[in-house]
Amino acid sequence: MRLIRLGAEPSAIGADVRAALTACGAGTQALGGVALIGVQPPDCPVPLDAIVVLPKGVLVIVGVDLPDPALKLEAPLGGPWTIDGWPLVAQDGAPNPATEAVAAATAVAQRIQAMRAEPLPVSTVVAVGPFVDQVVQPTVDLNRGVRVLHPKPSTLLSAARELATSTVPCTADHAVKLLAILQTTGTPPDARSLLSEGFSDAVSDLASANTMLIPKAAMGQLISRKRLPGKLTWPYLAVAAVVALILVTWLVVALPGDDKPADATPAPTSAQPTTVVVDGTTFVPKEMKKDQDCQAQAFGDVKAWLIANDCGVLLRATYETTVQGKPATVLVADMDLYDAPSAKSLHAVVVLPGSGGVHGLDGKPLENAAFANGTKGSHVTLAFAVWSGGAGDQTLDPIAKQALRLPTTR
């Protein structure tokens, strides 16, 4: 188990959660996986004590601080809790503390689905403290994938083994994508380092795939094709030699010799435009760049989506223009996502406020840039406009919208 601490635990019992996960040790001897401590993914209603990404499932751990230690806690999801026979009254009016925990787990599952990451079962663990000797849950709640427990290495291990039951283990590459969309800061571990935490290697999985279902007829065809070269006879070789001789003779005649220099005049090409005019606004092209690694040039939720999904190519171009007598700089980014459904999925992330974007050609985001976006087919286009040498403002909103129609290649 590898622990990545992103923030403080929001509950007092969260310290016990962290201690129990730490006791699992590195590697897969006890549990494996990666635990994000003190994390709050986007759209999650509350900060979480931990999210544990395991090879066969995801555990969302929410801490609940009880007013006193208890010998027996009765904790149904659909009704009030009782501590040693006394009702537990929530200050916020919720039926019980598990309501908020289940909502948080649902938000995490929805984010994983929205970002199109590897699907894994997402379960809820409600960690209660300061101490509970026995927790009683209805069977129907246990079948829903919710566990209420006092956090100890033994109870967390038992919950993980009962809840993380995916039939298709998560690969190390997919684990990196999951961690990237769940954590809001920092960089997830690389795939190679996650192999020691129980995540599988996609290359090894392919190498060990069962090939016993290959039809025998296909093998026979392969064997017969191998024998074809041995059946070549002298007439075939003679024809090949004649063809080669004709080809050499043609090359000698066609190519210019030393006594007559070849025509070095290049073919005429169309002149590159020095300006582009959109709705009366003149844009002067400056720099253009092409990147195959889209995610490396993005930030925020846009980067998280690109980590979890494929992107063919990123084209970026910068332009300069003048607005009300002041110089402005424009960045246009075009991402090819291979197909229209992928483009629509990314566009749904892009349109959300504060969802990130694409860096400028200097590797930094444009400060307070006016922003516009669009999608067409498999492409998502982003446009940013700022005052040259400074930040942007609402005055540049029309310029950003016009910039969506600017070319990103010459």
Side-chain angles (χ1 to χ4, degrees):
M1 169 70 67
R2 171 179 292 197
L3 270 65
I4 301 177
R5 192 170 188 182
L6 301 174
E9 299 87 348
S11 67
I13 195 63
D16 290 6
V17 172
R18 174 162 47 88
L21 294 173
T22 303
C24 293
T28 59
Q29 184 175 0
L31 187 58
V34 178
L36 303 177
I37 305 297
V39 61
Q40 184 174 6
D43 302 326
C44 185
V46 294
L48 306 174
D49 290 86
I51 296 180
V52 181
V53 179
L54 300 169
K56 294 186 177 182
V58 177
L59 305 182
V60 176
I61 303 179
V62 179
V64 172
D65 296 320
L66 302 176
D68 297 294
L71 294 176
K72 183 179 180 180
L73 171 66
E74 297 183 30
L77 295 182
W81 289 8
T82 59
I83 302 176
D84 295 331
W86 294 88
L88 176 65
V89 180
Q91 296 180 353
D92 57 0
N96 57 65
T99 304
E100 191 175 63
V102 173
T106 302
V108 171
Q110 290 175 346
R111 176 163 176 81
I112 292 175
Q113 182 179 7
M115 302 301 283
R116 303 177 69 181
E118 183 74 4
L120 283 175
V122 178
S123 305
T124 308
V125 174
V126 183
V128 293
F131 173 79
V132 176
D133 182 61
Q134 179 188 9
V135 177
V136 179
Q137 285 187 263
T139 303
V140 64
D141 294 346
L142 296 174
N143 293 336
R144 287 181 58 184
V146 179
R147 296 294 184 271
V148 181
L149 52 82
H150 178 63
K152 300 183 294 184
S154 59
T155 56
L156 284 178
L157 282 172
S158 177
R161 289 165 182 165
E162 293 174 1
L163 299 174
T165 57
S166 174
T167 56
V168 181
C170 181
T171 65
D173 288 332
H174 287 142
V176 172
K177 296 177 181 179
L178 270 175
L179 294 170
I181 68 174
L182 293 176
Q183 65 185 80
T184 54
T185 58
T187 302
D190 61 272
R192 183 178 297 274
S193 66
L194 293 183
L195 296 177
S196 61
E197 297 297 343
F199 297 99
S200 62
D201 186 357
V203 176
S204 299
D205 291 346
L206 290 174
S208 61
N210 192 346
T211 59
M212 295 303 292
L213 298 179
I214 299 177
K216 292 183 178 180
M219 294 299 295
Q221 294 175 1
L222 291 175
I223 293 174
S224 64
R225 290 177 183 175
K226 280 187 174 181
R227 294 174 181 171
L228 286 177
K231 295 181 180 181
L232 292 176
T233 58
W234 283 108
Y236 289 104
L237 296 176
V239 171
V242 171
V243 172
L245 180 60
I246 293 174
L247 179 60
V248 172
T249 303
W250 180 84
L251 289 174
V252 171
V253 174
L255 294 177
D258 294 338
D259 55 340
K260 185 178 181 181
D263 185 8
T265 304
T269 59
S270 58
Q272 297 294 339
T274 56
T275 60
V276 181
V277 179
V278 178
D279 294 340
T281 302
T282 300
F283 297 88
V284 180
K286 290 300 179 180
E287 298 181 72
M288 295 185 179
K289 189 174 182 181
K290 177 179 179 181
D291 291 285
Q292 300 293 339
D293 188 0
C294 303
Q295 59 177 288
Q297 309 303 328
F299 61 94
D301 282 352
V302 173
K303 180 172 184 175
W305 191 97
L306 292 171
I307 291 176
N309 299 273
D310 292 329
C311 172
V313 65
L314 168 64
L315 301 175
R316 289 176 295 167
T318 58
Y319 290 82
E320 288 185 356
T321 186
T322 302
V323 181
Q324 299 176 359
K326 296 173 58 178
T329 300
V330 170
L331 169 68
V332 186
D334 179 84
M335 290 173 281
D336 186 355
L337 282 307
Y338 293 120
D339 56 50
S342 296
K344 291 181 180 179
S345 176
L346 175 58
H347 188 253
V349 175
V350 167
V351 296
L352 297 176
S355 59
V358 174
H359 292 304
L361 299 186
D362 59 354
K364 301 177 182 178
L366 277 67
E367 183 181 358
N368 295 330
F371 176 63
N373 60 82
T375 179
K376 183 177 181 181
S378 64
H379 292 259
V380 173
T381 305
L382 312 179
F384 306 85
V386 296
W387 298 113
S388 297
D393 56 41
Q394 294 181 350
T395 307
L396 296 174
D397 286 347
I399 302 300
K401 293 179 180 179
Q402 293 173 352
L404 290 174
R405 294 152 60 185
L406 294 173
T408 52
T409 58
R410 287 191 173 93

